[in-house]
Amino acid sequence: MIERRGSPRQRVYKRGTIAFNGGGFDCTVRNLSDGGARIDVEGPVRLPEHFMLVIESDRVMHRCRPIWSSAQRVGVAFE
């Protein structure tokens, strides 16, 4: 398998929030890199073109855009 990520990923299990338009919903962050993340959601969701990924335990917010999705998983790139 060819690795296409620009930076190595770190496996994590962190609670997150996908925030947009004054609202949002919970997610689980499953891996992180300098350039993006993989997140798990409760079910198939339609995400906006850009949103904020909030990880309260780390006190960070990342502006994101979805890159890929399948069932309950979403890959995002940080902007």
Side-chain angles (χ1 to χ4, degrees):
M1 177 186 246
I2 297 172
E3 179 65 54
R4 292 182 284 179
R5 290 176 189 84
S7 55
R9 64 182 171 174
Q10 176 184 15
R11 288 184 182 176
V12 298
Y13 187 79
K14 298 181 180 205
R15 183 174 172 219
T17 302
I18 296 170
F20 57 95
N21 295 335
F25 52 89
D26 293 334
C27 67
T28 303
V29 181
R30 298 307 305 252
N31 70 45
L32 283 170
S33 71
D34 290 339
R38 191 194 98 199
I39 55 179
D40 290 351
V41 294
E42 286 293 316
V45 296
R46 181 170 216 155
L47 293 173
E49 197 172 310
H50 300 277
F51 59 89
M52 298 299 291
L53 174 61
V54 181
I55 306 172
E56 288 188 34
S57 64
D58 293 347
R59 296 184 175 170
V60 298
M61 294 174 57
H62 296 283
R63 182 172 163 84
C64 301
R65 61 184 166 86
I67 299 297
W68 61 266
S69 65
S70 65
Q72 297 174 309
R73 296 178 176 175
V74 181
V76 300
F78 299 150
E79 297 185 330

